[in-house]
Structure formats: structure tokens, C-alpha cells
Amino acid sequence: MRTVPSSVPPVVTTAVYTCSFLHLLVALVWLNAISPVDAQSRASEVRAGREPITPIPAPRAQDPQRVLLGERLFSDRRLSHDNTHSCSSCHDIGTNGATANIHDTPAGQPIALNTPTVFNVSLNFRLNWEGSFRSLEEGIESSLRNPAIMASSIDETVGKLRADGEMARQFRDAYGREPDVAAVLDAIATYERSLVTPGSRFDRWLAGEADAITPDELSGYQVFKSLGCVTCHQGVNVGGNLFQRHGVFHPLGSPEPVLLRVPSLRNVATTAPYFHDGSASTLPEAVRAMGVAQLDRVLTDQQIAAIVAFLNTLTGTYRDQAVRPAAAAPRAGSAIP
């Protein structure tokens, strides 16, 4: 309580207490004026600001004509030299953005590494397992000319598209010109940038929806952080933003390549098999192996179950449908990013 000197006249003393009361009254009115929505928004800002994982933002605006054209090209078999497979052959947008195969076989022989999902690919700082490419366009062009994937070239692709009157018209509508190298690469890349999967239950929790995840799942997140998994798997894509050597303490799958771009854990519950070589067939198996190889710890069954429970909250939505696992059946296709 504020002490007023005895020498202060009573009228001044009254004024001091009246002023303090008015300040308190104004503060209470201001607090009561905050709506529940504002309060939740502020709570979510505090939560999101202090967590090492951040929500996927709404996809940025893209030219709808170019997105639609890129989607058509993504499923166009003419991108392969022999017209037998497309990007979507190995990147199934209807399921997990990849396949359920350990190794895809676009050219008849298994490619060296497991196909990564194309969902949220634009949120990675580098592309493919080895992080060889800095842009989507660069990765797409490399896949077109890779003899183990499309066995074609961007020039061959442009020639095929120019010979198609309807496709040429679509390029004129979207780009104001006939198909050319820049437009073809931009159309596919524009479509890939639209392939984000916001709305996971964990993102909703970050946004302030307290009951979006269960107490067991929240406990799993705490275990995930306390063990150090979050050191590499953080940020908006829960990974995808740094390089790491696999098998730090013990071997983890095939020894090559030694240095990998840390994969995103977005939708990880739907993208089995796991690791660069597809050697882990289930999520609990992958978590157990990671504990040994990267942390030098044998995780308990309880720890593994808790982490898996958390990882299940990272499944987002695409076109208002939850991302789901791919069917376990052999298929051919490309491995663009």
C-alpha cells in the first residue's frame, strides 16, 4: 500500500487514492474487454513462440492456372523418355506423397535410395536425401535427365509438349508463350509448392487448441524433446533444415551416403518404410533404431510408444483430407525431390 506523508493535506491524500482506484478500474475494464478469441490467440502466440516446432503456415498464393498446369505435368507420362511413368507414379498425391516401396523402380532397376514424400517439400532447405539441390526447379531438371529416373531431358520434354496443340495452348494461357524450359520447370515447381499439409493435430495444439492432442501424446512430445530428438527434428517441417551424419554411435541402415539431409517428420506415421534405405518397416522400429544409432540409448518400450504417439499427431491434411499411408504394392515412377 502506498504511504502518504502525514504532512500531505487530506484532500491530496484522497486524490491520490482516487487516482489509484481509477487506474485499477481502467485495468479491469481493459482485461474484461479481451475476447476469448483474443485470449486464445495470445496464448497460442506464447506457446508457438516458445516451442522448437512451428505450425505450417497457410500456402502462399500461387497463380491457379500455373498450379493446374503443373499438376497436369506432374501426372504426364511424357516426362519420361519412353512415356511409361510420371512424377506421380512414385509420388502418389492421393496417399502419402510417396509410395510404400523400399526402392522404386522407374527404369526397371531399384533406385539407390528410398523415395521421399513430395508433401511439404518446399519447406526443406535442400532437396533429396543428400541435399544436392537448392531449388525445386533444379531438382526437377536433374530427375528428368537422370538415367535411373526419367532418362529424358528438359529439352526432350519441351519438344513433346510443343507438339501437343492443347498443351501448347495451356502454356500460352498460363505463361503467355509456348512451352519452354523455364515455363515447364516453373509450372511443376509451382504445383509442388502447393503441396503443403497444414492442420495437423499438433499444429492445432500449437495454435492454442489445448485438447487437440491427448495427455499421452503431449507426454510423448516431452519425451521427444528431453531425449534430444528435437535437436535435429525441429522448425516448421520438423526437420529438413540441416545435414547430419547417420549412425553417429551405431550403424543405421546402409552406410552410404554418410551425410544426409535430416528428413521431415511431417506425416511420418504415413510414410513407411523409413530411412534412406527403407530398412525400417514400422514407426516403432524406426524410433528404436534411431535411439541406438543417433543417441546411443536403448529406449524402453514405454518411451518408444510415447514418441510414436506424438509422431502420430504430425499428420496433416491435403485438400481437406488427412494424409494416409500408401498401399504396399510395387509401382514404377520417378523420384523428383
Side-chain angles (χ1 to χ4, degrees), residues 139-302:
I140 294 163
E141 184 172 8
S142 175
S143 291
L144 288 173
R145 68 172 182 266
N146 189 326
I149 303 176
M150 291 299 194
S152 180
S153 71
I154 183 60
D155 291 329
E156 179 181 340
T157 299
V158 168
K160 290 178 180 179
L161 297 176
R162 283 193 171 186
D164 182 336
E166 174 58 24
M167 186 60 73
R169 183 193 63 77
Q170 292 177 26
F171 269 91
R172 286 194 298 271
D173 290 344
Y175 289 92
R177 62 185 190 270
E178 298 288 311
D180 59 21
V181 170
V184 170
L185 296 178
D186 180 76
I188 300 173
T190 298
Y191 171 61
E192 290 185 352
R193 290 188 185 97
S194 75
L195 298 176
V196 294
T197 61
S200 72
R201 291 192 294 115
F202 188 75
D203 280 3
R204 287 160 45 201
W205 177 78
L206 286 173
E209 191 176 330
D211 58 353
I213 63 176
T214 68
D216 286 344
E217 291 164 344
L218 179 57
S219 176
Y221 176 49
Q222 302 302 335
V223 173
F224 184 84
K225 290 194 292 185
S226 67
L227 290 175
C229 310
V230 78
T231 302
C232 292
H233 292 287
Q234 29 64 27
V236 66
N237 221 13
V238 200
N241 58 359
L242 72 159
F243 290 102
Q244 181 59 276
R245 182 168 67 89
H246 69 88
V248 173
F249 294 101
H250 303 280
L252 182 68
S254 59
E256 298 293 335
V258 174
L259 194 66
L260 299 172
R261 184 213 65 195
V262 174
S264 165
L265 295 185
R266 292 283 180 184
N267 306 308
V268 68
T270 73
T271 58
Y274 302 102
F275 304 147
H276 59 289
D277 61 350
S279 58
S281 59
T282 68
L283 199 49
E285 180 184 349
V287 171
R288 186 183 303 276
M290 284 291 289
V292 172
Q294 303 302 97
L295 303 175
D296 198 27
R297 297 187 60 158
V298 177
L299 302 183
T300 66
D301 290 344
Q302 184 178 9

Side-chain angles (χ1 to χ4, degrees), residues 34-50:
I34 299 175
S35 70
V37 173
D38 289 337
Q40 179 171 325
S41 175
R42 288 175 185 172
S44 67
E45 287 176 3
V46 171
R47 176 179 291 163
R50 68 170 181 250

